[in-house]
Amino acid sequence: MDFKVFEDNILKLLNRYNEINELLSNLEIINNPSKLISLSQEKAELEEVVNNYKELNKLRNYLSDLKELKNSEDEEIKTLAEEEFQVVEKNIDNLESKLLNFILPKDPLDEKNIILEIRAGAGGEEAALFASELLRMYLRYAERKNAKTEILSINETGIGGIKEAIISIKGKRIYSRLKFESGTHRVQRVPETESGGRIHTSTATVAVLPEADEIDVTIDERDLKIDTFRAGGAGGQHVNKTDSAVRITHLPTGIVVACQDERSQFQNKEKAMRILAAKILEEKRIASEKEIATFRKIQVGSGDRSEKIRTYNFPQGRVTDHRINLTLYRLNEILDGDLDEIIDALIAAENMRKLELLSVQ
């Protein structure tokens, strides 16, 4: 993408920075604490744009000097200039990419923590085992990012698989990184229980929901139908002998959430309410996006669970993301939570689509 097409947008940000500097010296602003804080924060955000643009112009001037040196009759100077020219050109490209990120439309949910759901799909016990591996992958990714995780609900099978797991991940801009994981994940491998050595295909679905704050979603208790029941499955005698499990139905939307992993009814209700709020916020987001058709044009995927987004092929040791046709032969590392190469490529693809949309407006 040609940076010069968008340079006017960058210059508008620089003008805004200068405008803020003038406003901050205005007595009316100085005597208005809330306005003063707001403008100071905006100025701090724009300082990186200003510094990067200054550095960009310095490098452009330096590159112009190097062009002349490349025509030198002194072979040694000519060789050094050509080598330096390549380095500076690469640094300019990096700075231009950084600056373009500042003019892209921002997703207001990017700063949110997330509720991540994993469900076993087609493939029986093998699908449940794959779902368990995906859960570990996301827990390891969160660990690499120093993010805090909490298992809100989990339904395990007898041999180490999971039918469903719901986890909370809290970390810096975690939604901005993991929102691309929503969809159907497919695994191709020979199951451990398969004696014939045939490759099976199984699936698991992932949904990434931004965790709702009170300001995002207000839930009226009168809109809730709350049922308690005796928990089943693993959990010990206490869980199975008391009505500690909670099922909440949100009557206006029909959303149903159940939690049974905690010992107390209060704790299960608290977790269920967090999941419910995230699901309601997600419904609001989807409804809003349907009104803004351009959003779907810039997304690298629809975010629907039915969309097949990625294949994990064990015989070939590869992972393929079908939305951007990216194939990596690093299966073990990726399943150990090393997702950054895939996520960075997905972010780059989405940013490119945003820029293409901006260029025709």
Side-chain angles (χ1 to χ4, degrees), residues 219-341:
I219 300 175
D220 191 332
E221 287 278 344
R222 292 172 296 183
D223 290 335
L224 303 179
K225 181 176 181 288
I226 301 176
D227 300 306
T228 59
F229 58 97
R230 195 161 297 179
Q237 292 182 344
H238 173 83
V239 173
N240 292 320
K241 286 186 176 181
T242 61
D243 290 341
S244 59
V246 173
R247 182 186 298 109
I248 301 177
T249 304
H250 186 244
L251 300 174
T253 60
I255 295 171
V256 180
V257 174
C259 273
Q260 65 173 19
D261 297 327
E262 298 296 337
R263 285 178 169 267
S264 81
Q265 194 178 107
F266 173 79
Q267 288 173 309
N268 281 322
K269 181 184 176 185
E270 187 180 40
K271 284 187 175 183
M273 288 295 288
R274 286 174 62 190
I275 299 168
L276 177 63
K279 286 180 177 287
I280 293 172
L281 179 61
E282 179 71 357
E283 283 216 348
K284 286 171 63 179
R285 182 185 70 82
I286 292 169
S288 174
E289 285 166 11
K290 284 179 179 176
E291 296 175 10
I292 309 170
T294 54
F295 186 87
R296 286 299 179 192
K297 293 177 184 176
I298 62 176
Q299 274 193 313
V300 293
S302 68
D304 294 334
R305 287 193 179 202
S306 59
E307 182 190 14
K308 182 185 73 177
I309 64 166
R310 195 174 298 150
T311 295
Y312 304 75
N313 184 292
F314 275 68
Q316 296 175 20
R318 68 171 169 84
V319 175
T320 298
D321 195 289
H322 304 289
R323 295 163 293 182
I324 53 175
N325 296 319
L326 173 68
T327 295
L328 301 174
Y329 290 88
R330 300 175 54 246
L331 175 68
N332 291 333
E333 293 93 331
I334 289 166
L335 285 174
D336 193 45
D338 189 2
L339 290 167
D340 277 338
E341 188 172 358

Side-chain angles (χ1 to χ4, degrees), residues 170-235:
K170 296 182 178 182
K172 185 178 180 182
R173 292 178 59 82
I174 199 71
Y175 180 76
S176 73
R177 302 290 294 172
L178 287 178
K179 62 184 176 182
F180 302 99
E181 295 302 299
S182 288
T184 297
H185 296 241
R186 183 174 69 171
V187 63
Q188 295 173 328
R189 64 181 171 191
V190 179
E192 292 180 15
T193 54
E194 176 63 54
S195 58
R198 293 184 299 113
I199 294 174
H200 282 218
T201 298
S202 303
T203 63
T205 59
V206 174
V208 179
L209 316 176
E211 184 155 17
D213 300 321
E214 286 184 18
I215 195 170
D216 300 316
V217 175
T218 302
I219 300 175
D220 191 332
E221 287 278 344
R222 292 172 296 183
D223 290 335
L224 303 179
K225 181 176 181 288
I226 301 176
D227 300 306
T228 59
F229 58 97
R230 195 161 297 179

